[in-house]
Amino acid sequence: MKILIVDDSKAMRMIVKRTLRQAGFGEHEVVEAEDGALALELVRAESPDIVLSDWNMPNMSGIEFLRALRAAGNEIHFGFVTSEMSGEMHAEASSAGALFLITKPFTSDSFKKVLSSVIG
Amino acid sequence: MDNLADQLDQMIHATWQALLGQDIDRVEDSPNWWPRGDRSMLASIQITGGWEGVVTIECTAKLARDMAEAMFGMQSGQAVESEVIDALGELVNVVGGNIKALLDGGAQLTLPAVTTGFDYTVVVPGSSRACNLAFEFAGQHVRVGLLAAASCTRFLPRDETP
């Protein structure tokens, strides 16, 4: 399985990768993008199976990226990993087609709990 | 709001534990922590909407590098400046996002900014300090602050009543 991590912070992309390993998903291939616009190109080029995306990013935010994917007919598994998940954002993410939300700071247990049914 | 400091304290502990894999100790603040002439770094992020303010994390450049190396799992002295800025920016981003989650709907978070230099003062016009906490990490000091716009005389948490 191929996982696309989208975050403008290199530090956070590294922490997400580390947490995936700690949660037992280390055998999966990981590709990275630093904003929604680059991620959109990477989805076309790499055809990942699941996206873990930040919300607040320059150029194209996570929710804009998700809407662009769905507008193009792409139904890839999509989840947000973000520090700022309010009830309004939760509703906005769900209606746009996000499968799950992980709030920063997270633990390997929270990754395992949310991702086990998606990644397997 | 008396428990704002406690909530911020819990956020800081959880954030440092999750991102750096190490705990951070709350200590009493002191104006004489940093010898004059030490380069320092200040990461900030703004919250706008019903409540407006700025979250700041401030420490010496040396400690910012130590924290970045802990975050990246690097050996001492390996982190370059861009990685240090990225790491400190992400810390304030996570704390800012957690504070935003406490607020009523409609709050917005900016992208983080990191300032570095010698013996400088950061002024946010029209704001006052709502909360200021001090911590010790690896024997060095970190300040975490919350500045509120003058129009926001008190912190306005999300209404949890049913």
Side-chain angles (χ1 to χ4, degrees), chain B residues 127-147:
Chain B
S127 71
S128 61
R129 191 160 290 281
C131 187
N132 191 58
L133 299 184
F135 297 88
E136 190 174 288
F137 181 84
Q140 302 163 82
H141 294 103
V142 185
R143 274 197 195 104
V144 180
L146 185 58
L147 299 167

PDB file of all heavy atoms in Angstrom, chain B residues 127-147:
ATOM      1  N   SER B 127      -2.327  44.606  22.144  1.00  0.00           N
ATOM      2  CA  SER B 127      -2.539  43.334  22.836  1.00  0.00           C
ATOM      3  C   SER B 127      -1.998  43.389  24.261  1.00  0.00           C
ATOM      4  O   SER B 127      -1.186  44.252  24.601  1.00  0.00           O
ATOM      5  CB  SER B 127      -1.840  42.201  22.085  1.00  0.00           C
ATOM      6  OG  SER B 127      -0.437  42.317  22.217  1.00  0.00           O
ATOM      7  N   SER B 128      -2.456  42.479  25.077  1.00  0.00           N
ATOM      8  CA  SER B 128      -1.918  42.344  26.436  1.00  0.00           C
ATOM      9  C   SER B 128      -1.709  40.862  26.702  1.00  0.00           C
ATOM     10  O   SER B 128      -2.285  40.007  26.023  1.00  0.00           O
ATOM     11  CB  SER B 128      -2.889  42.938  27.455  1.00  0.00           C
ATOM     12  OG  SER B 128      -4.118  42.251  27.391  1.00  0.00           O
ATOM     13  N   ARG B 129      -0.871  40.573  27.698  1.00  0.00           N
ATOM     14  CA  ARG B 129      -0.528  39.177  27.968  1.00  0.00           C
ATOM     15  C   ARG B 129      -1.659  38.494  28.744  1.00  0.00           C
ATOM     16  O   ARG B 129      -1.984  38.889  29.856  1.00  0.00           O
ATOM     17  CB  ARG B 129       0.781  39.130  28.756  1.00  0.00           C
ATOM     18  CG  ARG B 129       1.366  37.743  28.862  1.00  0.00           C
ATOM     19  CD  ARG B 129       2.836  37.802  29.194  1.00  0.00           C
ATOM     20  NE  ARG B 129       3.651  38.316  28.096  1.00  0.00           N
ATOM     21  CZ  ARG B 129       4.030  37.594  27.034  1.00  0.00           C
ATOM     22  NH1 ARG B 129       3.651  36.341  26.931  1.00  0.00           N
ATOM     23  NH2 ARG B 129       4.767  38.125  26.095  1.00  0.00           N
ATOM     24  N   ALA B 130      -2.261  37.463  28.145  1.00  0.00           N
ATOM     25  CA  ALA B 130      -3.336  36.723  28.808  1.00  0.00           C
ATOM     26  C   ALA B 130      -2.782  35.587  29.654  1.00  0.00           C
ATOM     27  O   ALA B 130      -3.391  35.190  30.649  1.00  0.00           O
ATOM     28  CB  ALA B 130      -4.296  36.161  27.757  1.00  0.00           C
ATOM     29  N   CYS B 131      -1.635  35.074  29.243  1.00  0.00           N
ATOM     30  CA  CYS B 131      -1.060  33.934  29.956  1.00  0.00           C
ATOM     31  C   CYS B 131       0.412  33.821  29.595  1.00  0.00           C
ATOM     32  O   CYS B 131       0.781  34.048  28.444  1.00  0.00           O
ATOM     33  CB  CYS B 131      -1.801  32.654  29.550  1.00  0.00           C
ATOM     34  SG  CYS B 131      -1.340  31.202  30.499  1.00  0.00           S
ATOM     35  N   ASN B 132       1.244  33.495  30.563  1.00  0.00           N
ATOM     36  CA  ASN B 132       2.659  33.320  30.307  1.00  0.00           C
ATOM     37  C   ASN B 132       3.165  32.166  31.160  1.00  0.00           C
ATOM     38  O   ASN B 132       3.050  32.203  32.375  1.00  0.00           O
ATOM     39  CB  ASN B 132       3.417  34.612  30.657  1.00  0.00           C
ATOM     40  CG  ASN B 132       4.840  34.581  30.168  1.00  0.00           C
ATOM     41  OD1 ASN B 132       5.084  34.416  28.983  1.00  0.00           O
ATOM     42  ND2 ASN B 132       5.785  34.721  31.083  1.00  0.00           N
ATOM     43  N   LEU B 133       3.694  31.129  30.518  1.00  0.00           N
ATOM     44  CA  LEU B 133       4.185  29.974  31.262  1.00  0.00           C
ATOM     45  C   LEU B 133       5.654  29.740  30.937  1.00  0.00           C
ATOM     46  O   LEU B 133       6.096  30.010  29.819  1.00  0.00           O
ATOM     47  CB  LEU B 133       3.392  28.716  30.898  1.00  0.00           C
ATOM     48  CG  LEU B 133       1.899  28.707  31.184  1.00  0.00           C
ATOM     49  CD1 LEU B 133       1.323  27.327  30.852  1.00  0.00           C
ATOM     50  CD2 LEU B 133       1.605  29.054  32.632  1.00  0.00           C
ATOM     51  N   ALA B 134       6.373  29.234  31.916  1.00  0.00           N
ATOM     52  CA  ALA B 134       7.788  28.944  31.723  1.00  0.00           C
ATOM     53  C   ALA B 134       8.046  27.460  31.932  1.00  0.00           C
ATOM     54  O   ALA B 134       7.423  26.826  32.787  1.00  0.00           O
ATOM     55  CB  ALA B 134       8.608  29.763  32.716  1.00  0.00           C
ATOM     56  N   PHE B 135       8.965  26.933  31.127  1.00  0.00           N
ATOM     57  CA  PHE B 135       9.282  25.503  31.189  1.00  0.00           C
ATOM     58  C   PHE B 135      10.792  25.319  31.080  1.00  0.00           C
ATOM     59  O   PHE B 135      11.512  26.201  30.626  1.00  0.00           O
ATOM     60  CB  PHE B 135       8.607  24.751  30.029  1.00  0.00           C
ATOM     61  CG  PHE B 135       7.113  24.800  30.068  1.00  0.00           C
ATOM     62  CD1 PHE B 135       6.431  25.851  29.459  1.00  0.00           C
ATOM     63  CD2 PHE B 135       6.393  23.818  30.724  1.00  0.00           C
ATOM     64  CE1 PHE B 135       5.046  25.912  29.498  1.00  0.00           C
ATOM     65  CE2 PHE B 135       5.003  23.868  30.767  1.00  0.00           C
ATOM     66  CZ  PHE B 135       4.329  24.919  30.151  1.00  0.00           C
ATOM     67  N   GLU B 136      11.223  24.134  31.491  1.00  0.00           N
ATOM     68  CA  GLU B 136      12.632  23.778  31.339  1.00  0.00           C
ATOM     69  C   GLU B 136      12.710  22.496  30.521  1.00  0.00           C
ATOM     70  O   GLU B 136      11.993  21.532  30.805  1.00  0.00           O
ATOM     71  CB  GLU B 136      13.270  23.573  32.708  1.00  0.00           C
ATOM     72  CG  GLU B 136      14.780  23.427  32.647  1.00  0.00           C
ATOM     73  CD  GLU B 136      15.390  23.383  34.042  1.00  0.00           C
ATOM     74  OE1 GLU B 136      15.413  24.446  34.702  1.00  0.00           O
ATOM     75  OE2 GLU B 136      15.806  22.297  34.470  1.00  0.00           O
ATOM     76  N   PHE B 137      13.567  22.532  29.501  1.00  0.00           N
ATOM     77  CA  PHE B 137      13.776  21.346  28.662  1.00  0.00           C
ATOM     78  C   PHE B 137      15.284  21.189  28.483  1.00  0.00           C
ATOM     79  O   PHE B 137      15.962  22.129  28.074  1.00  0.00           O
ATOM     80  CB  PHE B 137      13.092  21.524  27.299  1.00  0.00           C
ATOM     81  CG  PHE B 137      13.244  20.337  26.392  1.00  0.00           C
ATOM     82  CD1 PHE B 137      12.376  19.251  26.493  1.00  0.00           C
ATOM     83  CD2 PHE B 137      14.266  20.284  25.447  1.00  0.00           C
ATOM     84  CE1 PHE B 137      12.520  18.148  25.659  1.00  0.00           C
ATOM     85  CE2 PHE B 137      14.403  19.180  24.606  1.00  0.00           C
ATOM     86  CZ  PHE B 137      13.524  18.117  24.725  1.00  0.00           C
ATOM     87  N   ALA B 138      15.795  20.015  28.781  1.00  0.00           N
ATOM     88  CA  ALA B 138      17.235  19.743  28.657  1.00  0.00           C
ATOM     89  C   ALA B 138      18.058  20.808  29.395  1.00  0.00           C
ATOM     90  O   ALA B 138      19.099  21.259  28.902  1.00  0.00           O
ATOM     91  CB  ALA B 138      17.633  19.675  27.179  1.00  0.00           C
ATOM     92  N   GLY B 139      17.576  21.220  30.559  1.00  0.00           N
ATOM     93  CA  GLY B 139      18.312  22.178  31.381  1.00  0.00           C
ATOM     94  C   GLY B 139      18.261  23.611  30.879  1.00  0.00           C
ATOM     95  O   GLY B 139      18.992  24.477  31.376  1.00  0.00           O
ATOM     96  N   GLN B 140      17.426  23.888  29.877  1.00  0.00           N
ATOM     97  CA  GLN B 140      17.314  25.249  29.334  1.00  0.00           C
ATOM     98  C   GLN B 140      15.853  25.696  29.374  1.00  0.00           C
ATOM     99  O   GLN B 140      14.954  24.877  29.531  1.00  0.00           O
ATOM    100  CB  GLN B 140      17.830  25.261  27.889  1.00  0.00           C
ATOM    101  CG  GLN B 140      19.279  24.780  27.768  1.00  0.00           C
ATOM    102  CD  GLN B 140      19.617  24.406  26.335  1.00  0.00           C
ATOM    103  OE1 GLN B 140      19.938  25.263  25.517  1.00  0.00           O
ATOM    104  NE2 GLN B 140      19.523  23.128  26.015  1.00  0.00           N
ATOM    105  N   HIS B 141      15.645  26.996  29.206  1.00  0.00           N
ATOM    106  CA  HIS B 141      14.313  27.536  29.448  1.00  0.00           C
ATOM    107  C   HIS B 141      13.529  27.874  28.175  1.00  0.00           C
ATOM    108  O   HIS B 141      14.096  28.324  27.189  1.00  0.00           O
ATOM    109  CB  HIS B 141      14.422  28.775  30.330  1.00  0.00           C
ATOM    110  CG  HIS B 141      14.911  28.455  31.697  1.00  0.00           C
ATOM    111  ND1 HIS B 141      16.208  28.705  32.093  1.00  0.00           N
ATOM    112  CD2 HIS B 141      14.305  27.850  32.751  1.00  0.00           C
ATOM    113  CE1 HIS B 141      16.365  28.283  33.344  1.00  0.00           C
ATOM    114  NE2 HIS B 141      15.239  27.761  33.755  1.00  0.00           N
ATOM    115  N   VAL B 142      12.225  27.650  28.264  1.00  0.00           N
ATOM    116  CA  VAL B 142      11.286  27.962  27.172  1.00  0.00           C
ATOM    117  C   VAL B 142      10.152  28.779  27.775  1.00  0.00           C
ATOM    118  O   VAL B 142       9.642  28.435  28.843  1.00  0.00           O
ATOM    119  CB  VAL B 142      10.656  26.675  26.579  1.00  0.00           C
ATOM    120  CG1 VAL B 142       9.789  27.020  25.372  1.00  0.00           C
ATOM    121  CG2 VAL B 142      11.700  25.661  26.229  1.00  0.00           C
ATOM    122  N   ARG B 143       9.755  29.845  27.079  1.00  0.00           N
ATOM    123  CA  ARG B 143       8.568  30.601  27.498  1.00  0.00           C
ATOM    124  C   ARG B 143       7.450  30.385  26.489  1.00  0.00           C
ATOM    125  O   ARG B 143       7.677  30.461  25.286  1.00  0.00           O
ATOM    126  CB  ARG B 143       8.861  32.100  27.514  1.00  0.00           C
ATOM    127  CG  ARG B 143       9.468  32.598  28.789  1.00  0.00           C
ATOM    128  CD  ARG B 143       9.344  34.122  28.906  1.00  0.00           C
ATOM    129  NE  ARG B 143      10.236  34.575  29.958  1.00  0.00           N
ATOM    130  CZ  ARG B 143      11.399  35.183  29.756  1.00  0.00           C
ATOM    131  NH1 ARG B 143      11.797  35.452  28.533  1.00  0.00           N
ATOM    132  NH2 ARG B 143      12.154  35.547  30.773  1.00  0.00           N
ATOM    133  N   VAL B 144       6.267  30.133  27.001  1.00  0.00           N
ATOM    134  CA  VAL B 144       5.092  30.013  26.143  1.00  0.00           C
ATOM    135  C   VAL B 144       4.117  31.109  26.556  1.00  0.00           C
ATOM    136  O   VAL B 144       3.772  31.224  27.739  1.00  0.00           O
ATOM    137  CB  VAL B 144       4.425  28.627  26.287  1.00  0.00           C
ATOM    138  CG1 VAL B 144       3.207  28.527  25.373  1.00  0.00           C
ATOM    139  CG2 VAL B 144       5.420  27.519  25.957  1.00  0.00           C
ATOM    140  N   GLY B 145       3.707  31.927  25.605  1.00  0.00           N
ATOM    141  CA  GLY B 145       2.847  33.056  25.932  1.00  0.00           C
ATOM    142  C   GLY B 145       1.581  33.097  25.097  1.00  0.00           C
ATOM    143  O   GLY B 145       1.531  32.546  23.990  1.00  0.00           O
ATOM    144  N   LEU B 146       0.586  33.718  25.649  1.00  0.00           N
ATOM    145  CA  LEU B 146      -0.662  33.949  24.917  1.00  0.00           C
ATOM    146  C   LEU B 146      -1.000  35.428  25.063  1.00  0.00           C
ATOM    147  O   LEU B 146      -1.234  35.914  26.173  1.00  0.00           O
ATOM    148  CB  LEU B 146      -1.767  33.063  25.501  1.00  0.00           C
ATOM    149  CG  LEU B 146      -3.123  33.069  24.799  1.00  0.00           C
ATOM    150  CD1 LEU B 146      -2.983  32.655  23.347  1.00  0.00           C
ATOM    151  CD2 LEU B 146      -4.080  32.106  25.506  1.00  0.00           C
ATOM    152  N   LEU B 147      -0.952  36.159  23.931  1.00  0.00           N
ATOM    153  CA  LEU B 147      -1.280  37.586  23.926  1.00  0.00           C
ATOM    154  C   LEU B 147      -2.689  37.745  23.390  1.00  0.00           C
ATOM    155  O   LEU B 147      -3.041  37.138  22.378  1.00  0.00           O
ATOM    156  CB  LEU B 147      -0.311  38.349  23.020  1.00  0.00           C
ATOM    157  CG  LEU B 147       1.172  38.300  23.395  1.00  0.00           C
ATOM    158  CD1 LEU B 147       2.024  38.818  22.249  1.00  0.00           C
ATOM    159  CD2 LEU B 147       1.408  39.121  24.641  1.00  0.00           C
TER     160      LEU B 147
END
